[in-house]
Amino acid sequence: MTSLVAVSSHLPETVPVDGLKDSLGLDDQQVRRFTRLYGLDRICQAPDRSEADLLTAAAGKLEGLAGQEDRVRYVIRAKGLRTTAPYPDNPLQEVRESLGLRHARTFAVEDHGCATGLLALDVAGTLLESDGDPDALALVLAGDKTLTPFSQWVVDVSIMGEATAAVLVAPGGGRDRLMGYASRVHGRADGVIDLTGELAKEAIRIYQDALEEVVVAATEEAGISVADLDMVLPHNVNRVSWTVAAKNLGIPTSKIFLDNIGATGHSFCADPFINYRSATERGLLAPGAHYLMTSAGLGQSFAAAVLRH
C-alpha cells in the first residue's frame, strides 16, 4: 500500500497582496475582496529564484532522501501549469542532476491543474506497486513558477504563490498510508481552461458538487465516511470556498486547515503537501488519524486522497 515516507516544503519570502496591486493590475475593490473576504494576506514570491532552485530547495529538506538516492526509481514532476519554463530550459532535469538521481526515470504529469499533485501521488504508488520492489522509492515534486500574468492569479478567485513541496513515496509502510483516491475531470473537449464568461459561470455552478463527489468517492474507497475524517488538508484557493464546502460536506471548519491561505497564497498543486508539513509540525495529526488531501484545478479537475497517519 502506498505510503508517504517523508514530506517537505520550501516557503520563499512573502509579499502583501496590496504590494502586488500594480504588477497584477488589481483595483482597490479586488484587493479588498482578496484580503477581507478570501482571507489572502501574504503571497510567497521568489523573483530571483528559478523553478529548479525552488524545487531543489524543497527536495533538499526531505528526511530519508540523503544516502538513499539509489533507491529512487522515479522522479515525478506534478505540474499545475502546462508550461513552466521557457524552451530549452528543463527544470526537472536540473533538479534530478542536482540531487544525484541520474538513474531514476523522470517525467511530468499535468493537465489536472492544481489537482495534479494528488494525481502524481497516485501514479507514483501505482508504478511502485507494479514494480514489486519493496525497497524502491518515488520522488514527487510539486509547485510552479509564476512566469506570466496568466499564472500569477486567477481572476477574482485566488493569487498564486511560489512555494514548493517534495514527497518521498514508498510501496508500503506503516505511516501516512494512502487509503483511497478519486479524481474527476469535467473539462471541455477543446481543452480551454480560462475562467472567463460562460466558462467561469459553469465552473462556479459545478464546483461544490464536483468537489463533494471526489471527497465522498475517496472516503468510500478508504472504507470510512466523511464524518470519520479527522482533518482536511486542502488547496489554498480562498477561505470562502472552504467555508461553503465545509457546510455542504458536513465537516466542521475547525477540521479544515486554512492557516496557510493567508500565509503563502495558493501554490498550485503543492498546497496539500505544504499543509501537511504545517499540520504535522504543529502536532495536529495524531497516530491513526484519517486525513483528506483535496484540490481542484483549472479545466474543472478535482481530486481527493484519504490517508492514515
Side-chain angles (χ1 to χ4, degrees):
M1 183 175 288
T2 305
S3 65
L4 310 185
V5 176
V7 179
S8 63
S9 62
H10 174 64
L11 308 181
E13 296 295 322
T14 59
V15 297
V17 170
D18 60 8
L20 298 171
K21 181 179 177 180
D22 292 339
S23 62
L24 298 182
L26 304 176
D27 58 34
D28 291 339
Q29 181 179 0
Q30 288 172 313
V31 170
R32 287 193 296 270
R33 181 184 298 118
F34 280 128
T35 54
R36 299 180 186 179
L37 181 61
Y38 290 171
L40 295 164
D41 181 22
R42 303 191 68 85
I43 311 297
C44 285
Q45 295 280 301
D48 298 326
R49 303 291 299 279
S50 69
E51 182 169 285
D53 292 336
L54 296 172
L55 294 172
T56 301
K61 299 176 184 178
L62 274 174
E63 297 178 5
L65 179 58
Q68 303 295 322
E69 290 86 355
D70 290 344
R71 294 175 56 193
V72 179
R73 185 163 294 178
Y74 303 100
V75 178
I76 305 174
R77 174 77 173 97
K79 295 173 65 175
L81 298 168
R82 291 171 176 171
T83 302
T84 60
Y87 179 85
D89 293 349
N90 192 325
L92 180 55
Q93 296 296 337
E94 291 181 44
V95 175
R96 186 184 74 160
E97 292 293 320
S98 66
L99 296 175
L101 304 175
R102 297 176 183 86
H103 60 287
R105 297 181 181 180
T106 306
F107 61 94
V109 291
E110 55 187 63
D111 278 344
H112 279 212
C114 294
T116 307
L118 299 180
L119 170 66
L121 178 60
D122 181 63
V123 169
T126 300
L127 290 171
L128 291 171
E129 181 180 357
S130 65
D131 289 342
D133 181 355
D135 294 323
L137 299 169
L139 174 62
V140 173
L141 301 168
D144 291 296
K145 184 74 179 174
T146 56
L147 292 174
T148 66
F150 174 83
S151 66
Q152 290 169 353
W153 70 309
V154 181
V155 177
D156 294 335
V157 175
S158 195
I159 299 177
M160 312 307 291
E162 296 183 333
T164 54
V167 186
L168 204 57
V169 182
R175 54 172 288 183
D176 292 309
R177 297 173 66 179
L178 180 63
M179 311 297 291
Y181 168 75
S183 68
R184 304 286 188 273
V185 179
H186 301 269
R188 291 164 50 108
D190 59 12
V192 173
I193 62 174
D194 295 26
L195 286 181
T196 58
E198 292 302 316
L199 287 180
K201 293 179 182 178
E202 177 66 8
I204 294 170
R205 186 185 70 81
I206 72 169
Y207 183 90
Q208 294 294 341
D209 288 341
L211 181 66
E212 182 177 359
E213 179 187 11
V214 293
V215 170
V216 170
T219 54
E220 288 180 347
E221 184 175 295
I224 64 172
S225 69
V226 173
D228 294 322
L229 292 170
D230 296 291
M231 180 162 286
V232 177
L233 304 176
H235 68 312
N236 301 328
V237 59
N238 64 58
R239 187 173 295 274
V240 170
S241 67
W242 287 112
T243 300
V244 176
K247 181 178 179 180
N248 291 345
L249 292 167
I251 300 175
T253 53
S254 60
K255 287 188 175 183
I256 304 179
F257 187 84
L258 300 176
D259 291 8
N260 283 334
I261 289 177
T264 66
H266 179 18
S267 295
F268 300 93
C269 53
D271 282 347
F273 306 117
I274 292 170
N275 290 336
Y276 170 90
R277 283 300 311 165
S278 296
T280 53
E281 287 170 357
R282 300 180 193 184
L284 300 180
L285 288 174
H290 287 95
Y291 61 95
L292 176 82
M293 291 183 172
T294 185
S295 293
L298 289 179
Q300 312 317 313
S301 301
F302 298 82
V306 175
L307 299 96
R308 186 180 181 190
H309 190 52

